[in-house]
Amino acid sequence: MILRYTFMRLLMLIPVSFSISVVIFMIVYLLPGDPIDNLLRVGSSAEDRAELVARYGLDRNLIVQYFVWIGNMFRGEFGEAIVLRRPVADLVAQNLPYSLTLGGLAFLFSSTVGMALGTISAVVRHPVLDRFMRGFILLGSTVPGFWLALLLILFFSVNLGWFPVSGAGGWTSLVLPVLTIGFGGVALVARVTRVALLDAQREDFVTLLHAKGLSSGTILLRHLMPHALLPVVTILALRIGWILGGAVTVEFVFGRPGLGSLLIRALGQRDYPVVQACLLMLALAVMLGTLIGDVAQASMDPRIREKKT
Amino acid sequence: MLSVRDLGVAFGAVEPLSGVSFSVDKGETIGIVGESGSGKSLTAMSVMGLLPLIGGRITGGTIVFDGQDLTKLPERAYRKLRGGKIGLITQNPMTSLDPLKKIGPQVDDVARLHLGMNANEARARTEEILGTLRIPEPALICDRYPHQMSGGMKQRIVIAMALAADPDVLIADEPTTALDVTVQAQIIRLLDDLVKQRDLALVLITHDMSVVAQTCDKVVVMYAGRAVEYGPVEAIFDRPRHPYTQALIACIPRGLDDTARLTGIEGTVPTVINYPKGCPFHPRCPRAEAICATDPPTFSVEGDSAAACHFAEVAHAQPA
Ligand SMILES: Nc1ncnc2c1ncn2[C@@H]1O[C@H](COP(=O)(O)OP(=O)(O)OP(=O)(O)O)[C@@H](O)[C@H]1O
Ligand code: SF4
Ligand SMILES: [Mg+2]
């Protein structure tokens, strides 16, 4: 059942991927600016320019360019960075691990701490704790990442000197970026967990679980948590892509290598192939995230598994 | 077996239930009837000790089961009774099972918890109970999820859960309200058989007087969180002395008799915040007089039955 569901879900990704690839391909052409300008030395002739344009295939029909591009993508050939003059695949391979580490840790941090906080606040209904949680959630969902990053750097790195201001040397350099990206996630996951648990508690079947003589602890762990997890998984799945996206600015603020830094630099230089590859990676992460989320949900909920997709 | 005396329930400052009394013995069925909002479910939740779950508390009275007062029972001991000695069947089978879990494990829980059985023994027990409830292919059903079954089938599963530990008392809170008419009759008959076969004490909560007439030995009529009349079923149906009971009986559709249609009772049940002073029924009562709006009536006892109406002595002389 779950296999069939996964297969159907994968089939659905085909049209989605196609549209995304077209959008990514087009975005670059809609942006003002031209990478060739960055390459040309001052005083180059029009012939030099035409030659460069021809070399990168920029003179051909857009549709042809798209198919050439997508064909290369399928073969894992991301081409050559126009400005950085290195294979794009190398650049991505070099930067991706940094982003994955940061994103993975931030994801783990926000999901575990968020679910724990949400569960505690749903179970221990204490007015002071409640007010604290509310404040925290509000803060977490409104404070922008880059601003929080600057605050954290100012306090922990500049004033206290506990963590490095920037760079990617050793685990200490990960603490602040992970906190920055994870903070909003913790608040979000905590809120969703809390609401989902409170909703689950109000369900009719909970009365009957108590009437069977089960203890509140057993009911929470075996019956309420799985229900609460359904919306949490949806949110977390969306977060996978979101965290990588959120990492874009945070990597930049902390001066860390990674897809985000690469993307921002490439954007500045109008380095099309690099921008496209980075965007493609991010889009892939978002799609994979939702796919994993949906499959995880289906594995937990028989009603979803049986729905005809 | 189970004896409730003068039960009162409050949520914060409001007290939607007060002065409810009834008792039921093995092999006996007591009906609790009343319109929506009269406090039937609250009574059930009180006996199950589940009021804290909905934020309520018992303000007075006793619930004596097997010689001990349940209102003073610690939660730990109460858990042994719930599902063990006292089973509950709720109103809506569509939502009373955990949709994420298969049927088998949900029923197995009871035998594992109360009969100390391991997983295999509990499953055997589950299949046996499903069999006695005339559920075809129990082993297959155990492997199903709730959403794959009909309402009537789910209600049988709920009944199986309530029965799995061989309880002494079964509380059925409107067990058929959410079901098709044909299925309703089956479930009521099933419960009736169980009482006889297993010597159960059944508390049957319903708003349907005809069900009471068919299956119950005794009845408590509730209105606005109070018992207004109680007694043996024959006595109450022969000579209802409370105008509310009379109205309920008059509402029973009587097949060919064209004149006594489903008339319904004029007006609506008052909400907790505006329970009227005096007799709670007076705004809707056809017999109300001045005293009814000021003084709450006391029970007028006659044999095994009693009615809380100022005119209980004369009321039955002019049946509705
Ligand atoms: N959780 C609650 N908080 C406050 N008041 C409540 C709560 N639950 C029930 N009540 C009040 O208690 C009264 C009796 O409710 P109860 O559910 O026992 O009625 P009922 O007789 O079972 O009705 P129905 O036929 O609709 O099931 C209602 O008027 C309601 O306002
Ligand atoms: S006491 Fe009065 S209002 Fe109440 S039921 Fe009797 S006659 Fe009606
Ligand atoms: Mg009810």
Side-chain angles (χ1 to χ4, degrees):
Chain A
M1 210 43 133
I2 188 74
L3 281 180
R4 206 183 66 100
Y5 179 87
T6 311
F7 180 71
M8 295 304 285
R9 203 50 198 66
L10 276 170
L11 278 188
M12 277 165 58
L13 280 185
I14 294 174
V16 178
S17 325
F18 175 74
S19 342
I20 289 179
S21 68
V22 170
V23 169
I24 289 177
F25 180 75
M26 290 307 296
I27 276 181
V28 181
Y29 287 87
L30 298 175
L31 293 175
D34 188 335
I36 303 295
D37 293 340
N38 279 327
L39 286 176
L40 288 172
R41 270 182 219 101
V42 186
S44 304
S45 68
E47 285 86 63
D48 292 339
R49 189 186 168 82
E51 190 205 313
L52 269 177
V53 167
R55 184 152 108 229
Y56 290 105
L58 298 179
D59 56 345
R60 281 188 277 175
N61 179 315
L62 256 189
I63 296 176
V64 175
Q65 281 192 44
Y66 170 78
F67 280 107
V68 169
W69 177 71
I70 200 77
N72 287 338
M73 291 292 135
F74 270 117
R75 271 177 279 123
E77 284 169 28
F78 295 88
E80 177 113 345
I82 299 179
V83 179
L84 293 171
R85 291 169 200 270
R86 291 179 47 197
V88 175
D90 283 5
L91 286 172
V92 170
Q94 197 177 55
N95 283 283
L96 194 60
Y98 289 100
S99 292
L100 286 183
T101 316
L102 179 57
L105 285 176
F107 180 81
L108 242 119
F109 169 68
S110 56
S111 47
T112 49
V113 177
M115 286 200 282
L117 284 182
T119 307
I120 292 171
S121 79
V123 175
V124 188
R125 277 192 247 160
H126 189 275
V128 176
L129 181 82
D130 226 41
R131 192 125 22 105
F132 173 78
M133 275 303 296
R134 251 174 244 257
F136 173 74
I137 286 170
L138 186 70
L139 217 66
S141 26
T142 47
V143 172
F146 70 90
W147 190 67
L148 180 69
L150 292 176
L151 277 187
L152 287 175
I153 290 176
L154 200 63
F155 189 69
F156 287 105
S157 304
V158 178
N159 287 356
L160 295 174
W162 288 0
F163 306 109
V165 172
S166 71
W171 69 270
T172 46
S173 67
L174 269 171
V175 175
L176 293 186
V178 166
L179 284 183
T180 311
I181 302 175
F183 183 63
V186 168
L188 181 70
V189 172
R191 187 179 65 200
V192 174
T193 308
R194 182 192 139 88
V195 170
L197 266 181
L198 292 179
D199 280 351
Q201 261 166 11
R202 272 194 292 272
E203 298 266 358
D204 272 356
F205 69 83
V206 178
T207 309
L208 265 190
L209 290 173
H210 283 280
K212 281 201 281 190
L214 291 167
S215 69
S216 302
T218 311
I219 293 175
L220 176 72
L221 286 178
R222 291 229 314 258
H223 295 274
L224 296 180
M225 280 313 261
H227 277 264
L229 270 180
L230 291 176
V232 171
V233 162
T234 311
I235 284 295
L236 282 178
L238 292 174
R239 292 288 298 179
I240 294 180
W242 203 95
I243 277 178
L244 281 184
V248 171
T249 50
V250 172
E251 276 176 356
F252 198 70
V253 173
F254 282 100
R256 282 179 59 85
L259 272 190
S261 300
L262 184 65
L263 174 62
I264 290 184
R265 192 150 29 110
L267 267 175
Q269 299 165 330
R270 313 272 172 251
D271 201 338
Y272 294 170
V274 180
V275 172
Q276 285 170 330
C278 287
L279 288 179
L280 205 65
M281 286 295 143
L282 291 178
L284 216 63
V286 174
M287 286 199 311
L288 267 179
T290 36
L291 175 71
I292 293 173
D294 283 356
V295 171
Q297 255 199 344
S299 73
M300 292 191 292
D301 192 338
R303 294 165 298 182
I304 296 180
R305 280 204 292 281
E306 279 174 27
K307 240 191 298 179
K308 300 274 172 287
T309 32
Chain B
M1 190 82 267
L2 176 71
S3 161
V4 174
R5 283 279 150 261
D6 219 13
L7 179 69
V9 168
F11 292 85
V14 292
E15 194 172 14
L17 198 76
S18 64
V20 171
S21 305
F22 64 90
S23 69
V24 59
D25 264 319
K26 276 180 176 273
E28 203 176 53
T29 301
I30 186 163
I32 300 185
V33 269
E35 285 165 287
S36 196
S38 54
K40 306 183 298 290
S41 294
L42 287 185
T43 309
M45 291 295 268
S46 306
V47 176
M48 292 305 292
L50 291 178
L51 279 179
L53 209 61
I54 52 173
R57 65 182 198 292
I58 289 179
T59 50
T62 57
I63 301 170
V64 178
F65 169 77
D66 232 3
Q68 53 182 342
D69 185 358
L70 300 188
T71 59
K72 300 192 177 62
L73 198 65
E75 170 63 18
R76 199 168 258 285
Y78 224 132
R79 279 216 301 272
K80 293 223 170 66
L81 288 184
R82 278 186 216 127
K85 296 280 173 212
I86 309 180
L88 178 71
I89 299 165
T90 45
Q91 175 170 347
N92 192 350
M94 302 318 276
T95 54
S96 49
L97 295 166
D98 187 337
L100 304 187
K101 302 267 188 294
K102 287 183 176 171
I103 298 300
Q106 299 201 47
V107 184
D108 296 348
D109 268 355
V110 181
R112 301 180 68 167
L113 214 57
H114 297 286
L115 306 179
M117 289 182 171
N118 66 31
N120 290 334
E121 293 164 348
R123 179 53 56 87
R125 169 90 183 156
T126 297
E127 291 180 8
E128 178 201 324
I129 299 259
L130 295 185
T132 60
L133 294 182
R134 288 170 234 140
I135 295 173
E137 306 199 72
L140 263 175
I141 294 285
C142 283
D143 211 34
R144 292 261 184 87
Y145 285 98
H147 71 277
Q148 298 167 325
M149 301 191 307
S150 69
M153 194 56 91
K154 274 191 255 196
Q155 194 61 306
R156 279 164 208 259
I157 303 293
V158 172
I159 295 175
M161 286 198 316
L163 286 177
D166 237 338
D168 297 324
V169 176
L170 207 57
I171 299 175
D173 188 356
E174 307 201 33
T176 61
T177 309
L179 301 174
D180 291 343
V181 185
T182 45
V183 185
Q184 283 186 9
Q186 288 170 16
I187 296 286
I188 291 293
R189 211 173 314 127
L190 183 65
L191 287 173
D192 207 26
D193 291 349
L194 287 170
V195 170
K196 297 195 177 96
Q197 286 161 13
R198 297 179 173 241
D199 210 21
L200 279 169
L202 174 65
V203 179
L204 182 60
I205 295 175
T206 174
H207 52 239
D208 188 345
M209 264 296 191
S210 57
V211 168
V212 174
Q214 280 164 34
T215 55
C216 297
D217 304 296
K218 298 198 272 189
V219 60
V220 182
V221 180
M222 292 191 56
Y223 185 78
R226 253 158 270 246
V228 294
E229 182 160 15
Y230 60 84
V233 164
E234 311 82 56
I236 300 292
F237 275 81
D238 277 356
R239 300 189 313 156
R241 296 193 299 149
H242 196 285
Y244 181 60
T245 316
Q246 293 167 358
L248 283 180
I249 293 174
C251 288
I252 302 176
R254 281 194 199 91
L256 298 172
D257 188 348
D258 274 1
T259 49
R261 282 252 188 70
L262 242 183
T263 43
I265 306 174
E266 295 268 313
T268 50
V269 184
T271 53
V272 194
I273 15 172
N274 46 28
Y275 277 171
K277 272 210 319 210
C279 172
F281 190 50
H282 85 256
R284 298 167 74 189
C285 181
R287 294 221 165 74
E289 291 185 19
I291 185 178
C292 301
T294 52
D295 297 4
T298 51
F299 275 106
S300 138
V301 182
E302 193 188 273
D304 285 339
S305 34
C309 171
H310 289 301
F311 309 107
E313 268 84 35
V314 286
H316 70 262
Q318 343 160 322

mmCIF file of all heavy atoms in Angstrom, chain B residues 21 32 56 69 80 135 166 203 235 251:
data_model
loop_
_atom_site.group_PDB
_atom_site.id
_atom_site.type_symbol
_atom_site.label_atom_id
_atom_site.label_comp_id
_atom_site.label_asym_id
_atom_site.label_seq_id
_atom_site.Cartn_x
_atom_site.Cartn_y
_atom_site.Cartn_z
ATOM 1 N N SER B 21 -30.249 10.555 41.378
ATOM 2 C CA SER B 21 -30.127 9.289 42.088
ATOM 3 C C SER B 21 -30.709 8.160 41.255
ATOM 4 O O SER B 21 -31.700 8.334 40.563
ATOM 5 C CB SER B 21 -30.890 9.339 43.415
ATOM 6 O OG SER B 21 -30.478 10.419 44.191
ATOM 7 N N ILE B 32 -31.964 5.915 31.315
ATOM 8 C CA ILE B 32 -31.922 7.326 31.693
ATOM 9 C C ILE B 32 -32.371 8.103 30.469
ATOM 10 O O ILE B 32 -31.728 8.046 29.424
ATOM 11 C CB ILE B 32 -30.504 7.760 32.127
ATOM 12 C CG1 ILE B 32 -30.050 6.931 33.328
ATOM 13 C CG2 ILE B 32 -30.469 9.242 32.445
ATOM 14 C CD1 ILE B 32 -28.714 7.358 33.913
ATOM 15 N N GLY B 56 -14.807 19.109 34.541
ATOM 16 C CA GLY B 56 -15.861 19.167 35.552
ATOM 17 C C GLY B 56 -15.435 18.502 36.848
ATOM 18 O O GLY B 56 -14.383 17.867 36.920
ATOM 19 N N ASP B 69 -17.257 3.768 47.634
ATOM 20 C CA ASP B 69 -17.695 5.044 47.077
ATOM 21 C C ASP B 69 -16.686 5.536 46.040
ATOM 22 O O ASP B 69 -15.563 5.899 46.372
ATOM 23 C CB ASP B 69 -17.842 6.074 48.205
ATOM 24 C CG ASP B 69 -18.408 7.392 47.675
ATOM 25 O OD1 ASP B 69 -18.637 7.488 46.445
ATOM 26 O OD2 ASP B 69 -18.618 8.306 48.494
ATOM 27 N N LYS B 80 -8.432 0.748 37.256
ATOM 28 C CA LYS B 80 -8.677 -0.690 37.226
ATOM 29 C C LYS B 80 -10.149 -0.982 36.965
ATOM 30 O O LYS B 80 -10.504 -1.977 36.335
ATOM 31 C CB LYS B 80 -8.257 -1.317 38.563
ATOM 32 C CG LYS B 80 -6.770 -1.267 38.810
ATOM 33 C CD LYS B 80 -6.285 -2.613 39.389
ATOM 34 C CE LYS B 80 -4.780 -2.690 39.420
ATOM 35 N NZ LYS B 80 -4.201 -1.707 40.379
ATOM 36 N N ILE B 135 -20.087 -10.867 14.855
ATOM 37 C CA ILE B 135 -19.302 -10.182 13.831
ATOM 38 C C ILE B 135 -18.633 -11.253 12.983
ATOM 39 O O ILE B 135 -17.890 -12.083 13.498
ATOM 40 C CB ILE B 135 -18.237 -9.271 14.471
ATOM 41 C CG1 ILE B 135 -18.941 -8.159 15.249
ATOM 42 C CG2 ILE B 135 -17.295 -8.705 13.425
ATOM 43 C CD1 ILE B 135 -18.020 -7.307 16.062
ATOM 44 N N ASP B 166 -15.007 -8.586 30.746
ATOM 45 C CA ASP B 166 -16.114 -9.151 31.507
ATOM 46 C C ASP B 166 -16.572 -8.228 32.641
ATOM 47 O O ASP B 166 -16.486 -8.582 33.818
ATOM 48 C CB ASP B 166 -15.697 -10.499 32.106
ATOM 49 C CG ASP B 166 -16.649 -11.576 31.647
ATOM 50 O OD1 ASP B 166 -17.777 -11.224 31.270
ATOM 51 O OD2 ASP B 166 -16.256 -12.750 31.644
ATOM 52 N N VAL B 203 -26.746 0.440 32.189
ATOM 53 C CA VAL B 203 -27.317 1.789 32.278
ATOM 54 C C VAL B 203 -27.472 2.260 30.844
ATOM 55 O O VAL B 203 -26.485 2.511 30.161
ATOM 56 C CB VAL B 203 -26.390 2.744 33.051
ATOM 57 C CG1 VAL B 203 -26.999 4.143 33.098
ATOM 58 C CG2 VAL B 203 -26.131 2.222 34.451
ATOM 59 N N ALA B 235 -44.728 0.876 35.920
ATOM 60 C CA ALA B 235 -45.422 1.883 36.728
ATOM 61 C C ALA B 235 -45.374 3.245 36.054
ATOM 62 O O ALA B 235 -46.392 3.936 35.948
ATOM 63 C CB ALA B 235 -44.800 1.959 38.119
ATOM 64 N N CYS B 251 -44.961 11.611 23.025
ATOM 65 C CA CYS B 251 -44.172 11.816 21.802
ATOM 66 C C CYS B 251 -43.858 10.527 21.066
ATOM 67 O O CYS B 251 -43.389 10.556 19.931
ATOM 68 C CB CYS B 251 -42.846 12.496 22.131
ATOM 69 S SG CYS B 251 -43.024 14.213 22.563
#
